Amino acid sequence: NKWWTRYLALEQSHPRRAKLVMFAAWSFIVGSAGFMAFLCILALTLPSLDQLEKPQYDLPTQVYDRNGKLITEFYTKRRVLIPYEKVPPRMIQALLSIEDNRFYYHFGVDPSRIVQAIVIDLVKMSFVQGASTLTQQTAKTFLLSTEKKIIRKMKEALLAVKMERRFTKEEIL
């Protein structure tokens, strides 16, 4: 193995540097394994996707008179549900161009968008750029809280991947 041969040569010529390289390699391996174990444990705490099969919406309460005529509505959020087929294609295009223009090309999480957001945030020295996909936003809205914590963001990403495996893109939209 070329890598091992190089390491042995480094160990003979620069023993301290070789130890540092080995320490860095093992730290990376152990750290990666630990992070993967943490993600697996975190995945066990995720809410069920069954709630998305038949989601509960805050729809207005409608009051009718005895003849069936609508008198008034009570609501905190005025939502009207329409099936995907009745949404104008331009509306879908507008949503995707504003929120997630790579929606049909990612698996629930968009790594290139995350890297871009990190770079912009580092340049601005503040959290100014979001990296959530529409799938992640759906996971947050229906299944998680809106608290601003890294754990919630990680759960959101894990849920988004699960959602992409279970639902079609149209169902997610």
Side-chain angles (χ1 to χ4, degrees):
N1 186 341
K2 280 186 178 182
W3 186 88
W4 186 249
T5 308
R6 285 184 184 171
Y7 173 75
L8 292 175
L10 180 65
E11 191 174 43
Q12 288 177 352
S13 61
H14 298 91
R16 293 181 91 192
R17 190 177 296 167
K19 286 180 181 177
L20 184 63
V21 167
M22 188 58 78
F23 176 76
W26 277 109
S27 296
F28 177 77
I29 291 168
V30 170
S32 298
F35 183 69
M36 294 304 288
F38 173 73
L39 287 180
C40 289
I41 292 168
L42 190 62
L44 296 174
T45 68
L46 296 176
S48 171
L49 292 182
D50 294 338
Q51 294 169 302
L52 293 178
E53 292 286 344
K54 293 192 185 315
Q56 298 294 316
Y57 298 99
D58 292 332
L59 297 175
T61 300
Q62 299 177 326
V63 179
Y64 295 89
D65 67 11
R66 68 177 105 185
N67 298 320
K69 183 180 176 195
L70 179 65
I71 298 172
T72 190
E73 294 180 330
F74 299 102
Y75 51 85
T76 54
K77 297 176 185 171
R78 186 178 178 116
R79 291 188 170 139
V80 177
L81 299 179
I82 58 172
Y84 177 82
E85 297 76 31
K86 290 194 176 184
V87 178
R90 288 258 188 217
M91 176 69 122
I92 293 170
Q93 291 167 355
L95 174 69
L96 294 180
S97 70
I98 292 168
E99 293 292 334
D100 189 358
N101 61 352
R102 293 178 28 85
F103 179 69
Y104 287 104
Y105 305 104
H106 61 66
F107 54 92
V109 176
D110 190 350
S112 65
R113 194 167 172 175
I114 293 170
V115 170
Q116 179 185 15
I118 289 170
V119 169
I120 290 170
D121 289 349
L122 288 174
V123 168
K124 300 282 184 179
M125 297 299 289
S126 179
F127 293 110
V128 295
Q129 182 69 41
S132 292
T133 64
L134 275 175
T135 311
Q136 286 176 273
Q137 292 174 36
T138 302
K140 178 178 74 176
T141 301
F142 286 99
L143 302 171
L144 299 171
S145 67
T146 57
E147 64 185 345
K148 295 208 175 228
K149 292 186 176 180
I150 193 76
I151 293 289
R152 199 248 331 134
K153 200 69 176 160
M154 294 170 85
K155 285 182 176 183
E156 182 182 296
L158 290 170
L159 272 172
V161 172
K162 282 179 71 174
M163 287 170 61
E164 291 274 347
R165 293 176 68 199
R166 182 162 173 183
F167 301 107
T168 67
K169 292 287 189 176
E170 289 72 25
E171 289 172 325
I172 293 169
L173 277 174

